[in-house]
Every structure is written in structure tokens, then in C-alpha cells.
Amino acid sequence: LQQPSVFVADKGTMHVNPAGRIVREVGSPAQRMLSQLAKGSRVGIVTMLGSMCPITRAHVQMMVEARSLLLDKKMDGEYAECIGLLSLNADSYVHAKLQTGSPGKGCSYISERQELVELSIADIPWLSLSANCEREALEGLPRLFPNLQFEHFRVNGEDDVIRFQKWRHAGPTKRFITIGRKNSGQQSLEELQTEHFLIGAPVGQISSTQVREACRAQNRAALEAMVHPRVAAWLLAREGGA
């Protein structure tokens, strides 16, 4: 998988270090947030890996709900802050999933998906794009901020959790937050909740397939209901309808 050596985004410059991680410069919003915390502060890190072809409002809302869950004052043990990291599946996985003979169509290349993620989250200082969100959560950030106590949670949709019974793998070193879909009709996971397997508030369902269909139809109103306006503009320009 090819990664750019320097990735310039709205929220600062990100460098890919020798280990393959995208790390923002110290002046970035998320790192400034962490640098202002008191020594010994407990910090949550919520991460999500996905295709995001393209990123939708639901993807972002899942991260917002996961963060809100950890920052809720009613939880046992208060988190001083929580930041989020998003990572993208490789092109080979996405192209196989789309089963298309023209993989570049529909923003399936990782460079395009990276750009759309950055456009979507540019106004959210605590949320960043990472080449490897789990490695950054478990190694990179603790190394940069050794005086903070980090706790990592993987964010998943309920379909994936139920399919792979991920609650069976939850524990002190592998924590999960599951976000359901409103009116999904899926089995309730509430009874499975533990301190290492948390259930967040459900979010509305948005299919990336529906986004691609609205884009091909040049339906700006439908697109902006499903993706950030900056993403909608990019997609329409890509299709030649801006």
C-alpha cells in the first residue's frame, strides 16, 4: 500500500514516519488538546477502520457518539478528554468489495478517500485521519504523551459486531464500543455490555451505495443529506456536475 510521505490537510501537516504512521505536527488541534491536560489525566482514544467509500455523516456520527459515551459524567471514572482516529481499508479490499472493473470510479482509491475524510472532519479538532489508527493509539500517542493514561476503544457497527460476536473478544487490552442503527430490528446487545464492551446511542443508517447513486444522479440535495457539503461538492465535481 502506497502512502504519501507528507499529507497536507486543513488541520495541519501530517507526516508518515518510518513505521508507517501518519503523525500530525505538534501544533495540530488534537495534540494541542492533549498537551494542555494535567499529568496523569485519563484519555480515551476511539478508533474506527473502514472503507468509507465515501465517508458519510453516519461514519462521523458514530465517532461523535463513541466520544460522548466516554466523556459522559455518569461513567465510572471520568475521562479528561477523548480523541478519535479514522483509518481506511486498502484499495485491494475496497475494489474487491465493490466488484467493479473500473476501481477508480466512485472514489475507491485511498488517496481520494483520504481527501474526502479530511474534507468531512476538517471542523472537528479531536478527530483525525491515521494510516494505522490502532498502532497510533497503542504506541504512537502514548510515546508522544507519556504522562497521560490512554485507554483505547475500537468503534464498530452492530452488524459487524453481531456477525463476528466481538463481545467474546472484549477485555482489559481489547475494548469495544458498538454503535447500533436506528430502527435496525437487530437483536439487543445491551445485556452483553461490560466495562470493556460498551453500547453507544444508535445513529441513522446511510449506505455508501446510496451516496454513489445520488452522485451519479447529480442529486445535490440528497447527497448533502448523507455527506458533508464539502464532500458532496467534491463528488459532484468528480462526476462533472458541479
Side-chain angles (χ1 to χ4, degrees):
L1 177 63
Q2 295 292 322
Q3 294 287 0
S5 59
V6 178
F7 182 40
V8 180
D10 289 344
K11 294 187 289 183
T13 302
M14 298 193 299
H15 300 275
V16 178
N17 66 15
R21 289 193 298 277
I22 292 178
V23 180
R24 294 183 183 276
E25 290 181 343
V26 175
S28 72
Q31 291 195 7
R32 284 201 300 270
M33 292 166 64
L34 295 178
S35 66
Q36 294 169 5
L37 298 177
K39 182 179 179 179
S41 293
R42 188 183 183 200
V43 179
I45 308 178
V46 291
T47 66
M48 183 165 66
L49 171 67
S51 298
M52 300 181 212
C53 183
I55 185 170
T56 69
R57 292 185 183 274
H59 291 127
V60 176
Q61 191 59 33
M62 287 176 67
M63 297 297 282
V64 170
E65 294 297 340
R67 181 175 186 260
S68 296
L69 180 64
L70 294 188
L71 293 180
D72 190 330
K73 300 290 187 181
K74 294 179 290 187
M75 287 196 61
D76 180 24
E78 184 177 342
Y79 288 85
E81 188 51 83
C82 178
I83 64 169
L85 299 171
L86 297 171
S87 285
L88 299 172
N89 288 322
D91 284 346
S92 57
Y93 175 87
V94 175
H95 296 167
K97 185 178 179 180
L98 292 176
Q99 294 182 338
T100 173
S102 178
K105 196 70 171 175
C107 68
S108 64
Y109 286 117
I110 196 166
S111 59
E112 299 169 329
R113 290 181 287 129
Q114 285 173 333
E115 183 175 356
L116 293 180
V117 169
E118 288 290 349
L119 289 173
S120 187
I121 68 174
D123 303 321
I124 307 176
W126 55 267
L127 186 56
S128 302
L129 175 66
S130 172
N132 189 324
C133 58
E134 293 205 5
R135 184 179 295 174
E136 188 168 345
L138 296 172
E139 300 175 17
L141 286 171
R143 187 178 297 118
L144 285 173
F145 298 95
N147 293 326
L148 300 180
Q149 300 179 32
F150 290 100
E151 293 185 8
H152 172 220
F153 288 81
R154 297 166 174 86
V155 179
N156 294 276
E158 67 176 3
D159 291 346
D160 193 57
V161 169
I162 291 172
R163 179 183 178 187
F164 295 105
Q165 298 186 344
K166 291 189 175 183
W167 60 86
R168 298 182 181 276
H169 308 292
T173 61
K174 199 168 188 178
R175 306 176 185 88
F176 294 92
I177 294 178
T178 298
I179 305 294
R181 291 184 285 111
K182 292 179 179 178
N183 306 315
S184 68
Q186 289 277 27
Q187 70 184 73
S188 173
L189 297 174
E190 293 287 343
E191 66 272 14
L192 300 173
Q193 185 165 225
T194 67
E195 63 178 315
H196 304 124
F197 184 79
L198 304 179
I199 309 297
V203 303
Q205 182 180 12
I206 299 176
S207 165
S208 292
T209 299
Q210 292 175 320
V211 174
R212 293 191 292 271
E213 290 173 351
C215 184
R216 285 192 291 270
Q218 301 297 309
N219 190 334
R220 180 180 291 271
L223 267 178
E224 291 189 354
M226 294 185 285
V227 302
H228 192 284
R230 287 190 292 262
V231 174
W234 189 100
L235 292 170
L236 290 172
R238 170 70 181 274
E239 292 291 329

mmCIF file with all atom_site columns, all heavy atoms in Angstrom, residues 64-81:
data_model
loop_
_atom_site.group_PDB
_atom_site.id
_atom_site.type_symbol
_atom_site.label_atom_id
_atom_site.label_alt_id
_atom_site.label_comp_id
_atom_site.label_asym_id
_atom_site.label_entity_id
_atom_site.label_seq_id
_atom_site.pdbx_PDB_ins_code
_atom_site.Cartn_x
_atom_site.Cartn_y
_atom_site.Cartn_z
_atom_site.occupancy
_atom_site.B_iso_or_equiv
_atom_site.pdbx_formal_charge
_atom_site.auth_seq_id
_atom_site.auth_comp_id
_atom_site.auth_asym_id
_atom_site.auth_atom_id
_atom_site.pdbx_PDB_model_num
ATOM 1   N N   . VAL A 1 64 ? -18.695 10.526 16.962 1.00 0.00 ? 64 VAL A N   1
ATOM 2   C CA  . VAL A 1 64 ? -19.214 11.519 17.907 1.00 0.00 ? 64 VAL A CA  1
ATOM 3   C C   . VAL A 1 64 ? -19.915 10.822 19.072 1.00 0.00 ? 64 VAL A C   1
ATOM 4   O O   . VAL A 1 64 ? -19.711 11.177 20.243 1.00 0.00 ? 64 VAL A O   1
ATOM 5   C CB  . VAL A 1 64 ? -20.185 12.483 17.198 1.00 0.00 ? 64 VAL A CB  1
ATOM 6   C CG1 . VAL A 1 64 ? -20.925 13.358 18.202 1.00 0.00 ? 64 VAL A CG1 1
ATOM 7   C CG2 . VAL A 1 64 ? -19.433 13.352 16.200 1.00 0.00 ? 64 VAL A CG2 1
ATOM 8   N N   . GLU A 1 65 ? -20.733 9.822  18.774 1.00 0.00 ? 65 GLU A N   1
ATOM 9   C CA  . GLU A 1 65 ? -21.458 9.099  19.830 1.00 0.00 ? 65 GLU A CA  1
ATOM 10  C C   . GLU A 1 65 ? -20.504 8.321  20.724 1.00 0.00 ? 65 GLU A C   1
ATOM 11  O O   . GLU A 1 65 ? -20.689 8.254  21.943 1.00 0.00 ? 65 GLU A O   1
ATOM 12  C CB  . GLU A 1 65 ? -22.496 8.161  19.207 1.00 0.00 ? 65 GLU A CB  1
ATOM 13  C CG  . GLU A 1 65 ? -23.632 8.856  18.486 1.00 0.00 ? 65 GLU A CG  1
ATOM 14  C CD  . GLU A 1 65 ? -24.483 9.726  19.401 1.00 0.00 ? 65 GLU A CD  1
ATOM 15  O OE1 . GLU A 1 65 ? -24.449 9.524  20.630 1.00 0.00 ? 65 GLU A OE1 1
ATOM 16  O OE2 . GLU A 1 65 ? -25.172 10.625 18.884 1.00 0.00 ? 65 GLU A OE2 1
ATOM 17  N N   . ALA A 1 66 ? -19.476 7.717  20.135 1.00 0.00 ? 66 ALA A N   1
ATOM 18  C CA  . ALA A 1 66 ? -18.496 6.964  20.926 1.00 0.00 ? 66 ALA A CA  1
ATOM 19  C C   . ALA A 1 66 ? -17.756 7.894  21.884 1.00 0.00 ? 66 ALA A C   1
ATOM 20  O O   . ALA A 1 66 ? -17.567 7.571  23.067 1.00 0.00 ? 66 ALA A O   1
ATOM 21  C CB  . ALA A 1 66 ? -17.515 6.248  20.015 1.00 0.00 ? 66 ALA A CB  1
ATOM 22  N N   . ARG A 1 67 ? -17.350 9.033  21.391 1.00 0.00 ? 67 ARG A N   1
ATOM 23  C CA  . ARG A 1 67 ? -16.659 10.007 22.241 1.00 0.00 ? 67 ARG A CA  1
ATOM 24  C C   . ARG A 1 67 ? -17.578 10.509 23.354 1.00 0.00 ? 67 ARG A C   1
ATOM 25  O O   . ARG A 1 67 ? -17.169 10.614 24.516 1.00 0.00 ? 67 ARG A O   1
ATOM 26  C CB  . ARG A 1 67 ? -16.170 11.179 21.395 1.00 0.00 ? 67 ARG A CB  1
ATOM 27  C CG  . ARG A 1 67 ? -15.416 12.261 22.188 1.00 0.00 ? 67 ARG A CG  1
ATOM 28  C CD  . ARG A 1 67 ? -14.877 13.315 21.242 1.00 0.00 ? 67 ARG A CD  1
ATOM 29  N NE  . ARG A 1 67 ? -14.032 14.281 21.936 1.00 0.00 ? 67 ARG A NE  1
ATOM 30  C CZ  . ARG A 1 67 ? -14.431 15.492 22.328 1.00 0.00 ? 67 ARG A CZ  1
ATOM 31  N NH1 . ARG A 1 67 ? -15.685 15.893 22.089 1.00 0.00 ? 67 ARG A NH1 1
ATOM 32  N NH2 . ARG A 1 67 ? -13.590 16.300 22.942 1.00 0.00 ? 67 ARG A NH2 1
ATOM 33  N N   . SER A 1 68 ? -18.823 10.813 23.008 1.00 0.00 ? 68 SER A N   1
ATOM 34  C CA  . SER A 1 68 ? -19.778 11.299 24.007 1.00 0.00 ? 68 SER A CA  1
ATOM 35  C C   . SER A 1 68 ? -19.989 10.276 25.110 1.00 0.00 ? 68 SER A C   1
ATOM 36  O O   . SER A 1 68 ? -20.131 10.625 26.284 1.00 0.00 ? 68 SER A O   1
ATOM 37  C CB  . SER A 1 68 ? -21.119 11.633 23.338 1.00 0.00 ? 68 SER A CB  1
ATOM 38  O OG  . SER A 1 68 ? -20.978 12.693 22.424 1.00 0.00 ? 68 SER A OG  1
ATOM 39  N N   . LEU A 1 69 ? -19.993 9.000  24.734 1.00 0.00 ? 69 LEU A N   1
ATOM 40  C CA  . LEU A 1 69 ? -20.176 7.935  25.723 1.00 0.00 ? 69 LEU A CA  1
ATOM 41  C C   . LEU A 1 69 ? -19.053 7.953  26.753 1.00 0.00 ? 69 LEU A C   1
ATOM 42  O O   . LEU A 1 69 ? -19.294 7.836  27.964 1.00 0.00 ? 69 LEU A O   1
ATOM 43  C CB  . LEU A 1 69 ? -20.231 6.589  25.013 1.00 0.00 ? 69 LEU A CB  1
ATOM 44  C CG  . LEU A 1 69 ? -20.428 5.345  25.892 1.00 0.00 ? 69 LEU A CG  1
ATOM 45  C CD1 . LEU A 1 69 ? -21.784 5.384  26.581 1.00 0.00 ? 69 LEU A CD1 1
ATOM 46  C CD2 . LEU A 1 69 ? -20.288 4.082  25.051 1.00 0.00 ? 69 LEU A CD2 1
ATOM 47  N N   . LEU A 1 70 ? -17.816 8.119  26.306 1.00 0.00 ? 70 LEU A N   1
ATOM 48  C CA  . LEU A 1 70 ? -16.681 8.109  27.223 1.00 0.00 ? 70 LEU A CA  1
ATOM 49  C C   . LEU A 1 70 ? -16.613 9.384  28.063 1.00 0.00 ? 70 LEU A C   1
ATOM 50  O O   . LEU A 1 70 ? -16.157 9.353  29.216 1.00 0.00 ? 70 LEU A O   1
ATOM 51  C CB  . LEU A 1 70 ? -15.372 7.930  26.458 1.00 0.00 ? 70 LEU A CB  1
ATOM 52  C CG  . LEU A 1 70 ? -15.174 6.591  25.748 1.00 0.00 ? 70 LEU A CG  1
ATOM 53  C CD1 . LEU A 1 70 ? -13.755 6.486  25.201 1.00 0.00 ? 70 LEU A CD1 1
ATOM 54  C CD2 . LEU A 1 70 ? -15.467 5.413  26.659 1.00 0.00 ? 70 LEU A CD2 1
ATOM 55  N N   . LEU A 1 71 ? -17.063 10.492 27.504 1.00 0.00 ? 71 LEU A N   1
ATOM 56  C CA  . LEU A 1 71 ? -16.994 11.754 28.239 1.00 0.00 ? 71 LEU A CA  1
ATOM 57  C C   . LEU A 1 71 ? -18.207 11.983 29.127 1.00 0.00 ? 71 LEU A C   1
ATOM 58  O O   . LEU A 1 71 ? -18.265 12.982 29.851 1.00 0.00 ? 71 LEU A O   1
ATOM 59  C CB  . LEU A 1 71 ? -16.849 12.929 27.261 1.00 0.00 ? 71 LEU A CB  1
ATOM 60  C CG  . LEU A 1 71 ? -15.533 12.978 26.485 1.00 0.00 ? 71 LEU A CG  1
ATOM 61  C CD1 . LEU A 1 71 ? -15.517 14.177 25.545 1.00 0.00 ? 71 LEU A CD1 1
ATOM 62  C CD2 . LEU A 1 71 ? -14.334 13.027 27.423 1.00 0.00 ? 71 LEU A CD2 1
ATOM 63  N N   . ASP A 1 72 ? -19.156 11.053 29.100 1.00 0.00 ? 72 ASP A N   1
ATOM 64  C CA  . ASP A 1 72 ? -20.356 11.163 29.937 1.00 0.00 ? 72 ASP A CA  1
ATOM 65  C C   . ASP A 1 72 ? -19.946 11.137 31.404 1.00 0.00 ? 72 ASP A C   1
ATOM 66  O O   . ASP A 1 72 ? -19.275 10.222 31.872 1.00 0.00 ? 72 ASP A O   1
ATOM 67  C CB  . ASP A 1 72 ? -21.300 9.997  29.636 1.00 0.00 ? 72 ASP A CB  1
ATOM 68  C CG  . ASP A 1 72 ? -22.666 10.169 30.277 1.00 0.00 ? 72 ASP A CG  1
ATOM 69  O OD1 . ASP A 1 72 ? -22.748 10.796 31.346 1.00 0.00 ? 72 ASP A OD1 1
ATOM 70  O OD2 . ASP A 1 72 ? -23.644 9.680  29.703 1.00 0.00 ? 72 ASP A OD2 1
ATOM 71  N N   . LYS A 1 73 ? -20.383 12.128 32.156 1.00 0.00 ? 73 LYS A N   1
ATOM 72  C CA  . LYS A 1 73 ? -20.017 12.240 33.576 1.00 0.00 ? 73 LYS A CA  1
ATOM 73  C C   . LYS A 1 73 ? -20.508 11.053 34.395 1.00 0.00 ? 73 LYS A C   1
ATOM 74  O O   . LYS A 1 73 ? -19.992 10.784 35.478 1.00 0.00 ? 73 LYS A O   1
ATOM 75  C CB  . LYS A 1 73 ? -20.609 13.529 34.155 1.00 0.00 ? 73 LYS A CB  1
ATOM 76  C CG  . LYS A 1 73 ? -20.131 14.810 33.478 1.00 0.00 ? 73 LYS A CG  1
ATOM 77  C CD  . LYS A 1 73 ? -18.685 15.106 33.779 1.00 0.00 ? 73 LYS A CD  1
ATOM 78  C CE  . LYS A 1 73 ? -18.280 16.467 33.231 1.00 0.00 ? 73 LYS A CE  1
ATOM 79  N NZ  . LYS A 1 73 ? -16.863 16.770 33.486 1.00 0.00 ? 73 LYS A NZ  1
ATOM 80  N N   . LYS A 1 74 ? -21.525 10.332 33.894 1.00 0.00 ? 74 LYS A N   1
ATOM 81  C CA  . LYS A 1 74 ? -22.100 9.242  34.676 1.00 0.00 ? 74 LYS A CA  1
ATOM 82  C C   . LYS A 1 74 ? -21.267 7.969  34.612 1.00 0.00 ? 74 LYS A C   1
ATOM 83  O O   . LYS A 1 74 ? -21.511 7.024  35.344 1.00 0.00 ? 74 LYS A O   1
ATOM 84  C CB  . LYS A 1 74 ? -23.517 8.939  34.179 1.00 0.00 ? 74 LYS A CB  1
ATOM 85  C CG  . LYS A 1 74 ? -24.511 10.074 34.417 1.00 0.00 ? 74 LYS A CG  1
ATOM 86  C CD  . LYS A 1 74 ? -25.888 9.746  33.898 1.00 0.00 ? 74 LYS A CD  1
ATOM 87  C CE  . LYS A 1 74 ? -25.906 9.728  32.390 1.00 0.00 ? 74 LYS A CE  1
ATOM 88  N NZ  . LYS A 1 74 ? -27.284 9.574  31.850 1.00 0.00 ? 74 LYS A NZ  1
ATOM 89  N N   . MET A 1 75 ? -20.269 7.944  33.727 1.00 0.00 ? 75 MET A N   1
ATOM 90  C CA  . MET A 1 75 ? -19.446 6.748  33.633 1.00 0.00 ? 75 MET A CA  1
ATOM 91  C C   . MET A 1 75 ? -18.541 6.604  34.850 1.00 0.00 ? 75 MET A C   1
ATOM 92  O O   . MET A 1 75 ? -18.187 7.573  35.501 1.00 0.00 ? 75 MET A O   1
ATOM 93  C CB  . MET A 1 75 ? -18.590 6.779  32.369 1.00 0.00 ? 75 MET A CB  1
ATOM 94  C CG  . MET A 1 75 ? -19.382 6.525  31.097 1.00 0.00 ? 75 MET A CG  1
ATOM 95  S SD  . MET A 1 75 ? -18.292 6.105  29.734 1.00 0.00 ? 75 MET A SD  1
ATOM 96  C CE  . MET A 1 75 ? -17.526 4.605  30.373 1.00 0.00 ? 75 MET A CE  1
ATOM 97  N N   . ASP A 1 76 ? -18.187 5.378  35.143 1.00 0.00 ? 76 ASP A N   1
ATOM 98  C CA  . ASP A 1 76 ? -17.315 5.092  36.289 1.00 0.00 ? 76 ASP A CA  1
ATOM 99  C C   . ASP A 1 76 ? -15.890 5.534  35.945 1.00 0.00 ? 76 ASP A C   1
ATOM 100 O O   . ASP A 1 76 ? -15.204 4.903  35.151 1.00 0.00 ? 76 ASP A O   1
ATOM 101 C CB  . ASP A 1 76 ? -17.355 3.591  36.593 1.00 0.00 ? 76 ASP A CB  1
ATOM 102 C CG  . ASP A 1 76 ? -16.461 3.224  37.769 1.00 0.00 ? 76 ASP A CG  1
ATOM 103 O OD1 . ASP A 1 76 ? -16.204 4.114  38.598 1.00 0.00 ? 76 ASP A OD1 1
ATOM 104 O OD2 . ASP A 1 76 ? -16.043 2.062  37.847 1.00 0.00 ? 76 ASP A OD2 1
ATOM 105 N N   . GLY A 1 77 ? -15.442 6.586  36.553 1.00 0.00 ? 77 GLY A N   1
ATOM 106 C CA  . GLY A 1 77 ? -14.116 7.099  36.258 1.00 0.00 ? 77 GLY A CA  1
ATOM 107 C C   . GLY A 1 77 ? -14.181 8.072  35.105 1.00 0.00 ? 77 GLY A C   1
ATOM 108 O O   . GLY A 1 77 ? -14.498 7.704  33.986 1.00 0.00 ? 77 GLY A O   1
ATOM 109 N N   . GLU A 1 78 ? -13.905 9.315  35.350 1.00 0.00 ? 78 GLU A N   1
ATOM 110 C CA  . GLU A 1 78 ? -14.086 10.346 34.342 1.00 0.00 ? 78 GLU A CA  1
ATOM 111 C C   . GLU A 1 78 ? -12.889 10.450 33.408 1.00 0.00 ? 78 GLU A C   1
ATOM 112 O O   . GLU A 1 78 ? -11.742 10.386 33.832 1.00 0.00 ? 78 GLU A O   1
ATOM 113 C CB  . GLU A 1 78 ? -14.310 11.697 35.031 1.00 0.00 ? 78 GLU A CB  1
ATOM 114 C CG  . GLU A 1 78 ? -14.601 12.834 34.087 1.00 0.00 ? 78 GLU A CG  1
ATOM 115 C CD  . GLU A 1 78 ? -14.888 14.123 34.834 1.00 0.00 ? 78 GLU A CD  1
ATOM 116 O OE1 . GLU A 1 78 ? -15.191 14.047 36.025 1.00 0.00 ? 78 GLU A OE1 1
ATOM 117 O OE2 . GLU A 1 78 ? -14.783 15.186 34.208 1.00 0.00 ? 78 GLU A OE2 1
ATOM 118 N N   . TYR A 1 79 ? -13.166 10.588 32.114 1.00 0.00 ? 79 TYR A N   1
ATOM 119 C CA  . TYR A 1 79 ? -12.122 10.835 31.126 1.00 0.00 ? 79 TYR A CA  1
ATOM 120 C C   . TYR A 1 79 ? -11.938 12.340 30.992 1.00 0.00 ? 79 TYR A C   1
ATOM 121 O O   . TYR A 1 79 ? -12.905 13.082 30.823 1.00 0.00 ? 79 TYR A O   1
ATOM 122 C CB  . TYR A 1 79 ? -12.497 10.239 29.775 1.00 0.00 ? 79 TYR A CB  1
ATOM 123 C CG  . TYR A 1 79 ? -12.423 8.729  29.725 1.00 0.00 ? 79 TYR A CG  1
ATOM 124 C CD1 . TYR A 1 79 ? -13.495 7.942  30.139 1.00 0.00 ? 79 TYR A CD1 1
ATOM 125 C CD2 . TYR A 1 79 ? -11.272 8.090  29.270 1.00 0.00 ? 79 TYR A CD2 1
ATOM 126 C CE1 . TYR A 1 79 ? -13.424 6.564  30.096 1.00 0.00 ? 79 TYR A CE1 1
ATOM 127 C CE2 . TYR A 1 79 ? -11.189 6.710  29.224 1.00 0.00 ? 79 TYR A CE2 1
ATOM 128 C CZ  . TYR A 1 79 ? -12.277 5.952  29.641 1.00 0.00 ? 79 TYR A CZ  1
ATOM 129 O OH  . TYR A 1 79 ? -12.189 4.579  29.603 1.00 0.00 ? 79 TYR A OH  1
ATOM 130 N N   . ALA A 1 80 ? -10.702 12.783 31.041 1.00 0.00 ? 80 ALA A N   1
ATOM 131 C CA  . ALA A 1 80 ? -10.422 14.213 30.895 1.00 0.00 ? 80 ALA A CA  1
ATOM 132 C C   . ALA A 1 80 ? -10.615 14.667 29.448 1.00 0.00 ? 80 ALA A C   1
ATOM 133 O O   . ALA A 1 80 ? -10.978 15.813 29.189 1.00 0.00 ? 80 ALA A O   1
ATOM 134 C CB  . ALA A 1 80 ? -9.001  14.519 31.342 1.00 0.00 ? 80 ALA A CB  1
ATOM 135 N N   . GLU A 1 81 ? -10.370 13.765 28.504 1.00 0.00 ? 81 GLU A N   1
ATOM 136 C CA  . GLU A 1 81 ? -10.515 14.089 27.089 1.00 0.00 ? 81 GLU A CA  1
ATOM 137 C C   . GLU A 1 81 ? -10.660 12.790 26.312 1.00 0.00 ? 81 GLU A C   1
ATOM 138 O O   . GLU A 1 81 ? -10.353 11.704 26.813 1.00 0.00 ? 81 GLU A O   1
ATOM 139 C CB  . GLU A 1 81 ? -9.288  14.887 26.590 1.00 0.00 ? 81 GLU A CB  1
ATOM 140 C CG  . GLU A 1 81 ? -9.396  15.447 25.188 1.00 0.00 ? 81 GLU A CG  1
ATOM 141 C CD  . GLU A 1 81 ? -10.654 16.216 24.955 1.00 0.00 ? 81 GLU A CD  1
ATOM 142 O OE1 . GLU A 1 81 ? -10.714 17.414 25.303 1.00 0.00 ? 81 GLU A OE1 1
ATOM 143 O OE2 . GLU A 1 81 ? -11.613 15.600 24.419 1.00 0.00 ? 81 GLU A OE2 1
#
